[in-house]
Amino acid sequence: MKLLKVIIPGVTFGFAALFSVLVHASDAIIPSAPQLSAEGYLLIDADSGKVLVEFNSRQRLPPASLTKMMTSYIAATELKRGTVRYNDQVRVSEEAWKLEGSRLFPMDWTWYQENGRSTALKDVLYGVVVSSGNDAAAALATHIAGSEDVFADMMNRHAVRLGMSDTNFMNATGLPDENHYTTAEDLAKLTVALIKDFPEHYKIYKEKYFTFANERTRNRNVLLWRDPSVDGVKTGHTEAAGYCLVASAERDGMRLISVVMGTASEEARATESQKLLSYGFRYFETLHLYDAGDALKTVKVWGGDKDSVNVTVLDDVVITIPRGSKNNLQAAMDLGTVIKAPLSEGQELGRLSVVIEGDTIADVPLSSDAAVDQAGFFKRLWDAIALFFVGLFGGDTLSV
């Protein structure tokens, strides 16, 4: 997605490379965050990672069908790798077909005998995401990994890779198991990865209906009907988990992710999620300050085969701030007083900090956009003499 890009301008400065910008303050009054009737919840900005609302977000809880977000994430991963394809024919075992709870495949023995061994993977995947079918999830897991147990191991390995440190999966469905748990924080991490790693796959999550075997199933995420900015993500329910919902919405380039776990009803999970999203969009805004690779300043390099390099950021610099407080931003770029060769591409040269009302909201490294080798002896000698006579910042000298 493309966010509003805001460049905080600097002033002309010397080799110390320090600048600060302060514009007129404005009063931004942010009310207290809503308190929800849920066991755990979280609201974050998907691009900056800023936590806007949090309660018990690291409490390990049963995720029910929110599990299927990881099931589909692995499916998208394997599709990208080419180990499986949309037109693969997925065998639906009798064990998977008989699983309790939500389902994709008709509970008709004749249908199963005629079709259970030849269902296109694309239909099964839609059945996982839109229909939330336990039968579809188990069949998909077995097709990808050979068994659901092996697939659960894949799920846990991906969870570790994504930093989901309080998560353990035992199956692809979310059916109850005392060792099957996650947290609101970990589900938010998974959601960010799902959206950013596989944006085309993520589009499935906004589908309201899916028709299979002449039966139309309805996406249980009612926010898809109530809020046009919502384009996902997933519902879940078991007696142990209560009613859960991970929702994501995008307005004017700002994407928020809410996770609500352990509410009392279908309606409660929707209304509580809407409270979080409404609060976030109404009282906060996201600013895209710099793109990765942006040249923020050109600086002198002493004793190198190049006279200068551009100072850049390696990653996008995105911040989330109280709405209406943009004019309070201060930015400071702090570089070394003398930058000497050799330099490697991407070498850290200093730090960029962004402060609002005394709080540092971003502190990122500043890097060289190119490598610079040492110059020959005479060029290094000339630079050393020039630097000596400049007497820059206390007479720092350059060895030759």
Side-chain angles (χ1 to χ4, degrees), residues 86-97:
Y86 276 127
N87 60 1
D88 283 358
Q89 294 301 299
V90 176
R91 178 184 180 275
V92 185
S93 69
E94 187 173 349
E95 180 183 14
W97 178 65

Side-chain angles (χ1 to χ4, degrees), residues 288-294 312-318 352 364-365 367:
H288 193 153
L289 300 183
Y290 305 105
D291 288 330
D294 276 350
T312 187
V313 286
L314 297 180
D315 299 305
D316 292 353
V317 180
V318 184
L352 170 70
V364 298
S367 304

Side-chain angles (χ1 to χ4, degrees), residues 108-185:
D108 176 89
W109 180 246
T110 302
W111 180 92
Y112 175 73
Q113 287 181 309
E114 294 177 354
N115 302 283
R117 297 174 185 271
S118 58
T119 303
L121 184 146
K122 185 174 183 179
D123 287 337
V124 176
L125 182 56
Y126 271 71
V128 171
V129 174
V130 183
S131 308
S132 196
N134 291 332
D135 49 0
L140 183 62
T142 301
H143 179 79
I144 290 173
S147 73
E148 196 171 356
D149 288 342
V150 175
F151 189 81
D153 181 65
M154 293 177 66
M155 297 170 78
N156 289 322
R157 289 174 183 269
H158 278 281
V160 170
R161 181 178 61 83
L162 295 174
M164 300 170 64
S165 56
D166 287 301
T167 292
N168 190 67
F169 294 114
M170 297 298 293
N171 56 60
T173 62
L175 287 170
D177 186 298
E178 63 181 0
N179 293 316
H180 190 100
Y181 53 81
T182 188
T183 67
E185 183 181 272

Side-chain angles (χ1 to χ4, degrees), residues 71-324:
T71 302
S72 87
Y73 181 87
I74 293 177
T77 301
E78 297 305 311
L79 283 163
K80 184 176 181 178
R81 292 180 59 210
T83 60
V84 298
R85 295 173 175 80
Y86 276 127
N87 60 1
D88 283 358
Q89 294 301 299
V90 176
R91 178 184 180 275
V92 185
S93 69
E94 187 173 349
E95 180 183 14
W97 178 65
K98 288 183 176 180
L99 281 175
E100 63 184 20
S102 53
R103 60 186 308 104
L104 170 68
F105 305 115
M107 198 61 187
D108 176 89
W109 180 246
T110 302
W111 180 92
Y112 175 73
Q113 287 181 309
E114 294 177 354
N115 302 283
R117 297 174 185 271
S118 58
T119 303
L121 184 146
K122 185 174 183 179
D123 287 337
V124 176
L125 182 56
Y126 271 71
V128 171
V129 174
V130 183
S131 308
S132 196
N134 291 332
D135 49 0
L140 183 62
T142 301
H143 179 79
I144 290 173
S147 73
E148 196 171 356
D149 288 342
V150 175
F151 189 81
D153 181 65
M154 293 177 66
M155 297 170 78
N156 289 322
R157 289 174 183 269
H158 278 281
V160 170
R161 181 178 61 83
L162 295 174
M164 300 170 64
S165 56
D166 287 301
T167 292
N168 190 67
F169 294 114
M170 297 298 293
N171 56 60
T173 62
L175 287 170
D177 186 298
E178 63 181 0
N179 293 316
H180 190 100
Y181 53 81
T182 188
T183 67
E185 183 181 272
D186 282 358
L187 286 169
K189 292 177 181 178
L190 174 58
T191 305
V192 171
L194 186 67
I195 294 170
K196 294 190 175 183
D197 294 350
F198 304 109
E200 289 302 312
H201 171 75
Y202 177 67
K203 291 178 181 178
I204 302 174
Y205 281 88
K206 69 179 179 182
E207 295 294 329
K208 296 178 180 179
Y209 300 98
F210 177 56
T211 300
F212 178 78
N214 297 318
E215 293 186 14
R216 188 169 80 158
T217 52
R218 186 177 189 270
N219 196 318
R220 292 172 175 81
N221 182 3
V222 299
L223 293 186
L224 294 174
W225 284 265
R226 297 181 183 180
D227 184 342
S229 69
V230 172
D231 55 15
V233 181
K234 190 75 187 71
T235 63
H237 170 253
T238 63
E239 185 175 347
Y243 292 85
C244 310
L245 173 59
V246 176
S248 184
E250 185 178 18
R251 300 180 191 174
D252 299 322
M254 180 181 186
R255 177 173 289 280
L256 298 181
I257 294 169
S258 67
V259 183
V260 174
M261 305 181 73
T263 68
S265 67
E266 290 186 25
E267 180 60 25
R269 71 185 176 193
T271 56
E272 301 295 68
S273 297
Q274 191 71 73
K275 288 178 186 178
L276 290 180
L277 294 173
S278 296
Y279 175 80
F281 283 121
R282 182 169 294 120
Y283 295 111
F284 295 90
E285 61 182 321
T286 297
L287 304 178
H288 193 153
L289 300 183
Y290 305 105
D291 288 330
D294 276 350
L296 306 187
K297 179 175 176 60
T298 300
V299 294
K300 168 71 175 175
V301 178
W302 296 88
D305 63 351
K306 299 176 183 176
D307 289 330
S308 63
V309 293
N310 292 323
V311 177
T312 187
V313 286
L314 297 180
D315 299 305
D316 292 353
V317 180
V318 184
I319 60 172
T320 303
I321 61 174
R323 191 170 292 278

